[in-house]
Amino acid sequence: MNIFWVVWCLGISPFVSAANVPSRRPAVVHIGAIFNFDSVLGKVAKVTLEEAVKDVNADATILRGTKLVLTMQTSNYSGFIGMVQALRFMETDVVAIIGPQSSVVAHIISHVANELRVPLLSFAATDPTLTSLQFPFFVRTTQSDLYQMKAVAEIIDFYGWKEVIALYVDDDYGRNGVAALDDELAARRCRISFKEGINTGTEVGRGEITSLLVKVALMQSRVIVLHAQTDSGFMVFNVARYLGMTDNGYVWIVTDWLSSLLDSASLPSETLNVLQGVLVLRQHTPDSDRKSAFLSRWKKLTGGSLGMHSYGLYAYDSVWMIARAIDAFFNQGGIISCTNYTSLGAYKGGDLNLDAMSIFDNGTLLLKNIMQSDFVGLTGRMKFEPDRSLAHPAYDILNVVGNGVRRVGYWSNYSGLSVVSPEILYAKPPNRSSANQKLYSVIWPGETTSKPRGWVFPNNGKQLRIGVPIRVSYREFVSPVQGTELFKGFCVDVFTAAINLLPYAVPYRFVPFGDGRKNPSYTELVNLITTGYFDGAVGDIAIVTNRTRIVDFTQPYAASGLVVVAPFKKINSGGWSFLLPFTPLMWIVTACFFLFIGIVIWILEHRINDEFRGPPRQQIITMLWFSLSTLFFSHRENTVSALGRLVMLLWLFVVLILTSSYTASLTSILTVQQLTSPISGIESLKASDEPIGFQVGSFAEHYMAQDLGIAKSRLIPLGSPEAYTKALQLGPKNGGVAAIVDERPYIEIFLSSQCTFRIVGQEFTRSGWGFAFPRDSPLAVDMSTAILQLSETGDLQRIHDKWMTRSSCSLDNAEIDSDRLKLKSFWGLFLICGIACFLALALHFLQIMFQLRKYPPSEAASSASSISGRFQRFLTLIDEKKEDPSKSKGRKRNGDERSLEDQLGRQPKRIQTEITT
């Protein structure tokens, strides 16, 4: 029978229409609770829930006359029983359910809560996948394991460990928690190297745990994260103690299941001995007067037989959250009414009482009030963030020491790791810088305060397989010892010396790579590390970008970079060697400036300096002589004007620089052997179309083809120094190459015996050689430290000198730099001098224009056209002899001075007469 009906969930007749319901509050409101009564969490939660209900009913300001009634049911660690208990609640007048404790049960019951719109408040289900998107009526009133795993990841990153082993209980709680840990570690370039689940509850056996831990003991990582439950967790520690895995060198990080047990019960000393040095997380609850009062009341209530843990406090606050939400619900006019669940009509019959299933009509309104909660409880502020997680997630970081625990710091999502309480940090701006992340010292397993390294070489009887290239050429760097599996060379000696400096033994063996007929590809050698075929690689391996993306390199132990080698010829000093210091453009610009300076000085000095006056021919000779004589600072003519002296001062400075540079360059040309090559560097080589040689197996081929854009058809592989010599001697026109591009260490050895070739240009890449290891390998870090130690003690240089001794040819003059003194080296001087000249000329002509405007023309001059007349007056002023002011004043007193008008009137006639003659 599919009949719509409404039932008052408070015992009122279901035949009363909803319109006639009185507005007064009901006398009783029922809520339910589902959890495991006999568990560590359940024993405390059962008492705290009862006490919370008593406190709510005793507070007249909450519910205002309505009594809160709590009904508790046990799920007995079973998801099925938990679902049955939830369905039983749905048959009654329960408006909300507290629990379940287990994440597994929460996943099941949340489906029921969604369908029947009954809010489900869990104080202990921490599975991060219990999200509001899938389960909108699931409300987590505790912290999600998402934040706990973030705290664990930050602890691991803080101590510099890169790999961890994760052991977890094999259910939703364990699997999803470790998945969150994996994501958080990946964000910090760390990873879980091994993870495996443990059976839950009584199903776990000691033999199974033993087999698992034996496997873990043979692995490299010594950092173990245990995310389990009480029974399985303690069995893991007992077996680990038996296998010696709680001694020095191991790190155990345990989630908050252990702190709940330590807080709620007094463990015997035998049990605590197993846990010595363990790091434990505990949900942080700030200290307050209300919390202290409740804990005092708790001791009296339990007689000290049962301690309080954080989950018990969250259970207490969950009751108050429901009570406040129900009070707000009634204030908004909410009515507790239910409607039968019609979707089950097709499944009626049998012994299942499906007709009793009903939907809480106003469950959405009650859920909304719960999500809007904002009050201060025993656990601190109870307020939800937009993602429906509690505000300010934080954890205490505990260290098990002696007969108890000591707090070594805090973690908060606000500021990370600190030794200051999160409540103090909330009042400051967030600071997650690495310098601000701090923890107190930890007593680790084995009763040591030294931070464990966190890894060892796998104790599985295997040695590290170190790939070593079999070189055909340049065997000074690495080569096999005939008849043995050993290798020798510069790179091998550096690796061996670094290994010997490590504070632990490294079992390894060299594995040859290559066919011995040609140099192998070093890129292929590095790729084999990523596949696991090699555990590392030793040799002259260049650290380049595409390789660093797939492996980790140590600190470079040798500098390297690509250079160009080409043939050269000697330049003999000839009769015109004195022209070589300057380029043609430099000569032209210098000559033009000498002429330009002479013209400028003549213009500035002509009116006031008798030495720059006279017939036109004499003035031209004087101007040229003056400008050229400044080259030797032997000019006889004195400069009188201030502008002329300023220009001369700057010009003589320029001449000083030019002559000094010329002298130094000419001296070098005449006394030092000069070398020249048609190739000046990588740019000229790139611009040509001639073939280029490279060493087989080198990264130079990829660099020139991909980065420089040189056609592969121009690249010629060469396998030995003898092939280098032959190809360079033949030249590009006879089947050889124009130049060879290779790394500097090879070229240094090549040129030590080949005196007819030289490095041209500059080194155009900067890199180095290093040893390669898998990504995030801790051995790469320790080897880098050892290489730095070799460098500081001088051992690295001694190994270099042992294998890289040069023979007959010296490299002192190996690099060709055929650059002559160019204009670009002096353009600044010329620019300053030119600007000074133009400014001086501008000021000089402004003075003449001012005089031209100040004195009107004479009648004779004004008879001509206005434009020609002004121009003639301008030329007159330029050419006229300007008297010394002191002399002018003397003549004026004697009446000998002629008027300016008279001078201007006569001047044009004189100029005309001179032109006619």
Side-chain angles (χ1 to χ4, degrees):
M1 178 173 62
N2 188 12
I3 301 175
F4 178 84
W5 57 279
V6 178
V7 59
W8 292 115
C9 296
L10 301 175
I12 302 175
S13 173
F15 300 104
V16 179
S17 65
N20 295 327
V21 174
S23 59
R24 64 180 178 85
R25 294 171 178 245
V28 176
V29 175
H30 292 273
I31 60 174
I34 301 175
F35 54 92
N36 302 321
F37 289 172
D38 58 346
S39 65
V40 173
L41 302 186
K43 292 177 181 178
V44 175
K46 187 175 185 297
V47 181
T48 54
L49 289 175
E50 293 173 347
E51 292 302 309
V53 171
K54 292 179 182 179
D55 292 344
V56 168
N57 291 329
D59 191 337
T61 62
I62 302 295
L63 295 181
R64 303 174 191 178
T66 299
K67 183 180 180 181
L68 188 66
V69 176
L70 172 66
T71 303
M72 293 184 286
Q73 300 288 348
T74 181
S75 60
N76 199 24
Y77 301 97
S78 171
F80 175 75
I81 295 177
M83 181 186 66
V84 172
Q85 299 292 9
L87 292 176
R88 291 180 60 185
F89 279 134
M90 301 307 175
E91 297 177 0
T92 63
D93 50 1
V94 168
V95 298
I97 299 176
I98 297 177
Q101 166 190 333
S102 168
S103 297
V104 176
V105 179
H107 272 279
I108 299 174
I109 299 180
S110 293
H111 291 284
V112 179
N114 286 349
E115 291 294 326
L116 303 181
R117 302 176 193 169
V118 176
L120 187 66
L121 286 74
S122 178
F123 60 89
T126 57
D127 181 359
T129 63
L130 287 167
T131 62
S132 58
L133 294 177
Q134 184 180 8
F135 306 116
F137 278 82
F138 175 81
V139 180
R140 195 195 321 270
T141 58
T142 187
Q143 301 296 345
S144 169
D145 273 344
L146 179 66
Y147 298 107
Q148 180 170 210
M149 295 308 171
K150 190 173 183 178
V152 172
E154 291 201 19
I155 293 173
I156 293 170
D157 184 54
F158 174 78
Y159 287 109
W161 301 314
K162 294 300 181 182
E163 292 186 358
V164 301
I165 295 173
L167 305 180
Y168 58 93
V169 60
D170 195 11
D171 59 10
D172 293 336
Y173 158 77
R175 286 190 299 270
N176 297 329
V178 170
L181 175 62
D182 202 1
D183 293 339
E184 294 295 338
L185 289 174
R188 293 159 179 80
R189 288 200 65 184
C190 306
R191 69 186 185 96
I192 297 177
S193 59
F194 175 79
K195 59 182 177 181
E196 188 161 328
I198 306 170
N199 286 331
T200 61
T202 57
E203 298 177 1
V204 62
R206 186 179 180 87
E208 178 185 351
I209 298 297
T210 303
S211 299
L212 173 60
L213 292 184
V214 168
K215 187 189 302 183
V216 170
L218 298 177
M219 294 181 180
Q220 175 175 286
S221 177
R222 285 294 181 261
V223 182
I224 304 173
V225 177
L226 183 59
H227 185 52
Q229 294 172 348
T230 304
D231 294 338
S232 57
F234 270 104
M235 184 172 291
V236 167
F237 275 113
N238 287 327
V239 175
R241 177 66 178 271
Y242 174 75
L243 296 176
M245 297 176 66
T246 58
D247 296 334
N248 190 13
Y250 281 89
V251 177
W252 289 86
I253 302 176
V254 185
T255 52
D256 58 3
W257 64 267
L258 180 57
S259 61
S260 299
L261 177 63
L262 295 175
D263 289 340
S264 61
S266 296
L267 300 181
S269 58
E270 296 81 7
T271 304
L272 287 174
N273 289 337
V274 177
L275 302 175
Q276 294 299 303
V278 172
L279 282 182
V280 187
L281 272 73
R282 177 176 65 194
Q283 296 194 40
H284 175 72
T285 56
D287 295 330
S288 63
D289 295 339
R290 186 181 177 190
K291 176 182 174 182
S292 300
F294 183 81
L295 293 179
S296 299
R297 173 183 163 193
W298 177 265
K299 290 181 180 179
K300 297 178 180 178
L301 185 65
T302 61
S305 61
L306 187 62
M308 174 60 67
H309 50 60
S310 59
Y311 287 105
L313 299 176
Y314 278 112
Y316 182 91
D317 286 345
S318 298
V319 175
W320 278 88
M321 181 178 289
I322 292 178
R324 292 175 181 274
I326 293 175
D327 184 58
F329 174 81
F330 288 141
N331 290 338
Q332 296 166 357
I335 300 174
I336 301 178
S337 62
C338 302
T339 303
N340 70 318
Y341 189 59
T342 57
S343 299
L344 294 175
Y347 304 98
K348 293 179 181 180
D351 295 332
L352 295 176
N353 189 20
L354 300 179
D355 290 337
M357 304 300 296
S358 57
I359 299 174
F360 182 15
D361 292 332
N362 289 320
T364 303
L365 178 60
L366 180 59
L367 175 65
K368 180 181 178 182
N369 289 329
I370 292 174
M371 300 311 302
Q372 292 177 348
S373 298
D374 187 0
F375 67 97
V376 178
L378 298 182
T379 58
R381 188 177 183 184
M382 297 293 289
K383 180 183 178 181
F384 292 100
E385 298 289 354
D387 62 351
R388 298 183 67 169
S389 63
L390 287 178
H392 300 313
Y395 286 84
D396 298 334
I397 302 173
L398 310 176
N399 184 204
V400 180
V401 179
N403 294 325
V405 296
R406 56 185 287 265
R407 185 163 50 205
V408 296
Y410 305 89
W411 177 90
S412 68
N413 196 43
Y414 185 76
S415 295
L417 301 174
S418 70
V419 295
V420 181
S421 174
E423 289 71 41
I424 299 176
L425 297 177
Y426 293 150
K428 303 177 182 180
N431 184 357
R432 298 185 70 91
S433 63
S434 57
N436 199 52
Q437 305 300 297
K438 298 178 181 179
L439 290 176
Y440 290 122
S441 62
V442 176
I443 299 178
W444 303 99
E447 297 183 355
T448 177
T449 57
S450 300
K451 186 200 77 172
R453 189 172 68 246
W455 67 279
V456 294
F457 284 99
N459 189 20
N460 50 15
K462 294 182 180 179
Q463 294 178 319
L464 294 181
R465 292 171 51 88
I466 305 298
V468 184
I470 302 179
R471 293 196 57 87
V472 177
S473 59
Y474 301 110
R475 298 169 66 87
E476 296 90 342
F477 296 110
V478 58
S479 62
V481 178
Q482 297 297 328
T484 68
E485 295 183 354
L486 303 178
F487 282 80
K488 65 179 181 178
F490 169 68
C491 303
V492 176
D493 281 3
V494 174
F495 178 80
T496 304
I499 283 288
N500 292 336
L501 290 177
L502 298 181
Y504 48 86
V506 180
Y508 68 92
R509 66 185 181 93
F510 290 135
V511 179
F513 175 73
D515 56 12
R517 294 189 295 271
K518 64 178 182 179
N519 293 334
S521 171
Y522 283 32
T523 301
E524 294 180 7
L525 173 61
V526 171
N527 286 333
L528 289 177
I529 298 177
T530 63
T531 63
Y533 184 78
F534 287 134
D535 298 312
V538 171
D540 45 338
I541 306 172
I543 304 173
V544 293
T545 304
N546 62 329
R547 295 173 184 172
T548 57
R549 295 192 180 104
I550 57 177
V551 298
D552 279 351
F553 282 94
T554 62
Q555 173 80 14
Y557 61 87
S560 178
L562 293 179
V563 294
V564 178
V565 176
F568 72 96
K569 63 179 180 180
K570 298 180 180 179
I571 301 177
N572 296 321
S573 300
W576 299 95
S577 297
F578 67 90
L579 296 176
L580 294 178
F582 287 169
T583 61
L585 179 60
M586 183 67 182
W587 279 116
I588 293 173
V589 173
T590 303
C592 291
F593 254 85
F594 271 101
L595 180 60
F596 175 67
I597 292 298
I599 295 173
V600 171
I601 295 298
W602 180 84
I603 294 174
L604 297 176
E605 296 290 323
H606 177 68
R607 299 184 65 208
I608 60 176
N609 194 340
D610 291 335
E611 295 180 349
F612 288 88
R613 298 188 64 82
R617 181 179 178 182
Q618 179 183 349
Q619 294 185 45
I620 293 175
I621 294 174
T622 300
M623 179 176 59
L624 292 176
W625 166 254
F626 176 81
S627 62
L628 293 176
S629 63
T630 58
L631 177 63
F632 310 102
F633 302 96
S634 61
H635 49 284
R636 296 175 301 173
E637 296 80 8
N638 295 320
T639 53
V640 177
S641 67
L643 294 177
R645 290 178 177 178
L646 174 63
V647 171
M648 278 301 299
L649 178 64
L650 292 175
W651 174 243
L652 290 177
F653 176 74
V654 173
V655 170
L656 175 64
I657 299 299
L658 291 177
T659 54
S660 301
S661 303
Y662 176 86
T663 303
S665 180
L666 182 61
T667 302
S668 176
I669 290 174
L670 296 178
T671 59
V672 180
Q673 175 180 271
Q674 297 297 304
L675 308 177
T676 184
S677 171
I679 303 297
S680 61
I682 188 61
E683 292 300 327
S684 63
L685 190 62
K686 178 182 175 182
S688 68
D689 57 355
E690 296 177 333
I692 306 170
F694 68 91
Q695 185 182 173
V696 175
S698 172
F699 77 96
E701 178 186 15
H702 179 273
Y703 179 82
M704 288 188 289
Q706 301 297 326
D707 295 350
L708 298 182
I710 299 176
K712 286 190 175 182
S713 59
R714 295 177 55 192
L715 304 180
I716 308 300
L718 302 172
S720 65
E722 294 76 16
Y724 283 17
T725 303
K726 182 178 180 181
L728 289 173
Q729 290 175 345
L730 288 175
K733 296 181 179 179
N734 298 317
V737 297
I740 291 175
V741 174
D742 205 350
E743 296 178 67
R744 179 176 286 274
Y746 303 124
I747 297 304
E748 288 179 351
I749 293 179
F750 173 69
L751 295 181
S752 66
S753 59
Q754 297 294 329
C755 303
T756 58
F757 311 110
R758 291 293 183 267
I759 296 174
V760 294
Q762 301 296 322
E763 187 175 301
F764 57 92
T765 64
R766 299 286 182 181
S767 60
W769 290 352
F771 305 127
F773 293 97
R775 291 298 298 268
D776 301 321
S777 171
L779 186 57
V781 179
D782 290 350
M783 286 291 288
S784 295
T785 304
I787 291 172
L788 289 175
Q789 186 175 348
L790 288 175
S791 177
E792 293 171 355
T793 58
D795 292 338
L796 187 61
Q797 184 62 41
R798 284 189 283 272
I799 297 173
H800 177 275
D801 295 340
K802 170 185 175 182
W803 291 98
M804 310 287 282
T805 303
R806 298 168 183 169
S807 57
S808 57
C809 290
S810 173
L811 294 179
D812 293 340
N813 299 318
E815 296 192 19
I816 299 175
D817 188 1
S818 59
D819 294 340
R820 301 156 74 183
L821 296 177
K822 298 179 181 179
L823 179 61
K824 66 181 181 180
S825 302
F826 303 95
W827 69 268
L829 289 173
F830 286 125
L831 178 63
I832 294 173
C833 187
I835 292 175
C837 291
F838 281 112
L839 290 176
L841 290 175
L843 291 174
H844 180 71
F845 285 123
L846 284 174
Q847 292 175 356
I848 295 176
M849 295 299 296
F850 177 76
Q851 294 181 10
L852 183 64
R853 292 172 58 91
K854 184 176 181 181
Y855 300 102
S858 63
E859 295 179 359
S862 62
S863 61
S865 63
S866 60
I867 297 177
S868 60
R870 284 194 296 269
F871 182 69
Q872 288 179 357
R873 289 197 303 275
F874 179 72
L875 293 178
T876 300
L877 289 176
I878 292 177
D879 186 64
E880 76 171 355
K881 178 68 170 65
K882 184 178 180 181
E883 297 293 341
D884 188 357
S886 61
K887 295 180 180 180
S888 299
K889 292 181 180 179
R891 286 196 301 267
K892 186 174 183 180
R893 286 192 298 268
N894 297 328
D896 296 335
E897 184 178 1
R898 294 178 298 171
S899 64
L900 181 62
E901 292 84 350
D902 186 38
Q903 295 179 23
L904 294 176
R906 296 179 182 181
Q907 196 69 18
K909 295 180 180 180
R910 184 175 64 82
I911 295 175
Q912 184 176 4
T913 303
E914 292 179 357
I915 294 174
T916 303
T917 59

